[in-house]
């Protein structure tokens, strides 16, 4: 967990008074205030997520009694200087604030006008104070019973389909909004708006360890192919969205893995609602990006490959259904074209299998943080963490399914030159 001394000193109760006054018109005073981290090691790498809890006193005339407890979620920059510096350049706070303040309300209003109630995420609280720090304040969804699925178990069929349906609703609204209001800002051309490549050494180390680990996944025969591919592979997180003529484009969530979806259940335990969080890496491009990302990182290992084409078909049904509902003015995207885009976006598979999926499946431990991942902690901590990512039975089980499937689809094809030789 984040230590208490890592909680920002500027995070005081005064920051939240305007939100408390908005939620409780009869607020009299704050009796107790506490800030604590919400995620353990291995649950969040790029930002610090805090819960601000309050005991408040209401005016005596309040029908609910004089005291209430409430809480908010606060997202801030990480406390380590090295991580803060490059996260700041990514524009993730600017992108996420814009999504919550502008795009989600627009999308939800479009569905209301079509006589359908759709909610995409928690309530966003826009602070009026001028701050020298990055801050996003959101509704604490746990107060309404929302929770994550265990990332190591992944989504079963019910949760996978719920996530796909919510993606389809989000994507459909974003495509219609584009036709109505025009281009999304330039910062949505990339997941991370880096001004320089801070990850080259990390990618090289990660790829090297991955290639050395391939025999553990019964994939030793792929070592040479993947080694050559890794030397040519672009960093997909910093890459600009490809411009493919006539390709159907949407605003992708951009980081749609299981920890960034929250679920609410009824009294019988049946799934009732699905919300997105962490809209900090959105990119305008083919929905193929979100589909590969979500299914391969987050669907249960028993179904992610076996049911992959079924999931794409299900998503396409929901996408076209919602595009029709929202009166999309162009021809509806065809299922065949979506499959073609998924092949075209196959370069996403490499960062999924070398970075994302290992992080999703690794056991929580003290070294599960961005500095260790980037090898900035010293004393071999990065190497130890990297080895734990690739040498465990859980990742082996998944990659024994994913790698042959990806390889047969040409995901690791290289651009051959006269000097390129693949055994």
């Amino acid at each position: 967990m984040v230590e208490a001394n890592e909680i920002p000193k500027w995070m005081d109760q005064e920051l939240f008074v305007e939100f408390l006054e908005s939620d409780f018109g009869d607020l009299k005073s704050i009796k107790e205030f506490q800030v604590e981290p919400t995620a353990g090691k291995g649950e969040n790498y790029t930002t610090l997520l805090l819960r601000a809890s309050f005991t408040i006193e209401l005016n005596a005339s309040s029908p609910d009694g004089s005291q209430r407890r409430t809480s908010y979620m606060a997202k801030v920059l990480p406390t380590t200087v090295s991580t803060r510096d490059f996260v700041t350049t990514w524009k993730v706070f600017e992108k996420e604030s814009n999504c919550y303040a502008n795009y989600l309300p627009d999308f939800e209003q479009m569905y209301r006008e079509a006589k359908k109630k759709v909610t995409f995420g928690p309530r966003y609280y826009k602070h009026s104070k001028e701050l020298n720090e990055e801050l996003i304040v959101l509704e604490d969804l746990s107060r309404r019973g929302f929770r994550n699925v265990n990332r190591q178990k992944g989504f079963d069929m019910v949760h996978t389909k719920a996530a796909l349906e919510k993606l389809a609703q989000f994507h459909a609204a974003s495509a219609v909004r584009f036709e109505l209001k025009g281009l999304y800002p330039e910062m949505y051309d990339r997941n991370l708006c880096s001004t320089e490549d801070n990850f080259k050494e990390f990618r090289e180390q990660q790829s090297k360890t991955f290639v050395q680990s391939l025999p553990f996944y019964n994939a030793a025969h792929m070592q040479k192919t993947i080694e050559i591919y890794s030397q040519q592979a672009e960093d997909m997180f910093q890459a600009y969205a490809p411009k493919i003529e006539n390709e159907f484009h949407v605003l992708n969530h951009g980081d749609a893995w299981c920890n960034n979806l929250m679920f609410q259940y009824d009294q019988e335990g049946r799934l009732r609602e699905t919300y997105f969080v962490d809209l900090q890496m959105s990119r305008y491009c083919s929905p193929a990006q979100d589909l590969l990302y979500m299914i391969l990182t987050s669907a249960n290992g028993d179904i992610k490959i076996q049911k992959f084409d079924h999931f794409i078909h299900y998503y396409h049904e929901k996408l076209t259904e919602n595009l029709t509902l929202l009166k999309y003015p162009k021809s509806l995207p065809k299922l065949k074209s979506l499959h073609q885009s998924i092949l075209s976006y196959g370069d996403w598979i490499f960062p999924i299998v070398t970075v994302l999926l290992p992080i999703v499946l690794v056991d929580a431990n003290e070294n599960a943080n961005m500095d260790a991942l980037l090898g900035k902690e010293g004393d071999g901590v990065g190497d130890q963490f990297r080895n734990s990512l690739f040498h465990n039975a859980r990742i082996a089980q998944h990659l024994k399914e994913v790698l042959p499937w990806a390889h047969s689809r040409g995901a690791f094809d290289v651009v051959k030159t006269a000097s390129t030789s693949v055994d």
Side-chain angles (χ1 to χ4, degrees):
M1 297 288 288
V2 178
E3 299 297 331
N5 60 8
E6 294 185 73
I7 294 172
K9 291 182 173 58
W10 54 267
M11 178 77 59
D12 59 29
Q13 67 183 37
E14 293 303 315
L15 282 174
F16 298 89
V17 169
E18 60 181 312
F19 311 136
L20 289 166
E21 290 176 340
S22 172
D23 290 343
F24 302 93
D26 52 355
L27 177 69
K28 181 179 180 181
S29 64
I30 297 172
K31 307 298 290 184
E32 294 179 0
F33 168 65
Q34 182 181 12
V35 179
E36 58 186 355
T38 64
K41 296 292 186 180
E43 304 301 327
N44 203 317
Y45 285 78
T46 59
T47 56
L48 183 58
L49 191 61
L50 305 169
R51 175 176 286 109
S53 301
F54 295 85
T55 300
I56 58 174
E57 185 176 6
L58 307 178
N59 289 318
S61 60
S62 172
D64 297 326
S66 62
Q67 287 201 353
R68 292 281 293 276
R69 291 190 59 80
T70 192
S71 55
Y72 301 90
M73 304 304 296
K75 179 183 283 192
V76 299
L77 283 168
T79 54
T80 52
V81 175
S82 55
T83 306
R84 284 173 64 92
D85 287 346
F86 56 75
V87 171
T88 301
T89 70
W90 294 347
K91 297 186 178 180
V92 291
F93 281 84
E94 183 179 351
K95 290 173 81 170
E96 184 162 21
S97 296
N98 189 42
C99 277
Y100 279 121
N102 299 305
Y103 297 154
L104 296 196
D106 276 3
F107 297 170
E108 291 167 0
Q109 179 61 28
M110 290 161 63
Y111 280 104
R112 280 194 294 273
E113 292 173 359
K115 310 301 182 189
K116 184 173 182 176
K117 185 176 188 290
V118 177
T119 305
F120 288 106
R123 180 181 175 186
Y124 170 67
Y125 292 87
K126 183 174 176 58
H127 50 87
S128 60
K129 299 178 176 64
E130 286 292 327
L131 299 176
N132 293 323
E133 296 282 349
E134 301 283 8
L135 173 66
I136 291 175
V137 178
L138 301 169
E139 170 192 5
D140 182 359
L141 289 175
S142 69
R143 299 187 64 81
R144 289 200 277 144
F146 280 86
R147 62 181 187 268
N148 295 117
V149 167
N150 182 296
R151 60 180 168 82
Q152 293 178 323
K153 293 180 179 178
F155 297 157
D156 59 14
M157 286 290 290
V158 171
H159 288 84
T160 303
K161 286 189 170 184
L164 289 170
E165 181 171 9
K166 189 63 73 170
L167 279 178
Q169 292 170 340
F170 182 82
H171 291 164
S174 73
V176 174
R177 187 189 187 279
F178 176 87
E179 299 301 327
L180 294 174
K181 297 190 176 182
L183 294 170
Y184 289 95
E186 186 179 346
M187 64 182 172
Y188 292 99
D189 289 342
R190 296 192 288 167
N191 286 73
L192 301 177
C193 301
S194 308
T195 53
E196 58 184 81
D197 186 358
N198 294 300
F199 299 105
K200 187 173 187 298
E201 183 179 351
F202 160 72
R203 292 195 304 275
E204 291 173 350
Q205 288 296 323
Q206 200 78 356
S207 298
K208 179 181 178 181
T209 306
F210 176 70
V211 169
Q212 292 171 346
S213 304
L214 287 171
F216 189 50
Y217 320 131
N218 298 336
H221 60 287
M222 301 182 198
Q223 281 183 300
K224 189 64 174 178
T225 297
I226 292 179
E227 181 180 7
I228 294 173
Y229 175 85
S230 71
Q231 294 166 1
Q232 299 184 357
E234 187 175 12
D235 182 351
M236 298 306 296
F237 293 98
Q238 300 179 82
Y240 284 90
K243 307 297 184 185
I244 301 175
E245 188 175 359
N246 297 322
E247 183 176 63
F248 176 70
H249 281 186
V250 302
L251 188 66
N252 282 251
H253 179 290
D255 195 18
W257 68 293
C258 48
N259 273 19
N260 289 340
L261 288 99
M262 298 190 72
F263 302 94
Q264 185 189 53
Y265 305 85
D266 65 19
Q267 290 183 340
E268 284 72 43
R270 292 179 298 236
L271 181 59
R272 183 165 68 182
E273 181 61 283
T274 305
Y275 278 5
F276 292 141
V277 293
D278 275 8
L279 290 153
Q280 60 189 17
M281 287 169 53
S282 297
R283 187 172 82 150
Y284 184 71
C285 62
S286 167
Q289 175 182 325
D290 267 351
L291 293 171
L292 284 165
Y293 201 110
M294 196 278 286
I295 295 171
L296 295 184
T297 63
S298 302
N300 182 278
D302 294 334
I303 60 175
K304 70 172 63 183
I305 299 304
Q306 182 186 10
K307 298 292 185 181
F308 185 88
D309 286 346
H310 169 73
F311 290 144
I312 301 305
H313 186 269
Y314 178 81
Y315 164 84
H316 180 262
E317 284 185 339
K318 295 300 180 182
L319 175 68
T320 53
E321 174 187 308
N322 285 285
L323 286 170
T324 301
L325 176 70
L326 297 177
K327 296 181 170 55
Y328 182 62
K330 293 185 174 180
S331 299
L332 296 176
K334 296 185 180 301
L335 178 60
K336 178 180 178 181
S337 298
L338 181 57
H339 278 291
Q340 290 170 336
S341 291
I342 288 170
L343 287 172
S344 298
Y345 280 67
D347 284 341
W348 271 102
I349 295 176
F350 190 67
I352 288 169
V353 298
T354 59
V355 181
L356 298 168
L357 187 57
I359 287 174
V360 170
L361 297 175
V362 73
D363 288 331
N365 67 80
E366 289 301 310
N367 296 329
N369 59 68
M370 181 64 79
D371 281 346
L373 196 62
L374 297 180
K376 296 180 180 296
E377 295 230 338
D379 297 326
V381 170
D383 290 335
Q384 293 172 22
F385 181 47
R386 195 171 294 111
N387 284 328
S388 73
L389 289 174
F390 292 117
H391 293 94
N392 64 78
R394 200 174 290 111
I395 188 65
Q397 177 188 359
H398 282 252
L399 290 183
K400 284 176 182 178
E401 296 288 331
V402 174
L403 289 176
W405 172 85
H407 191 244
S408 68
R409 294 165 70 90
F412 310 124
D413 282 355
V414 298
V415 179
K416 293 187 177 181
T417 65
S419 60
T420 302
S421 175
V422 181
D423 295 337

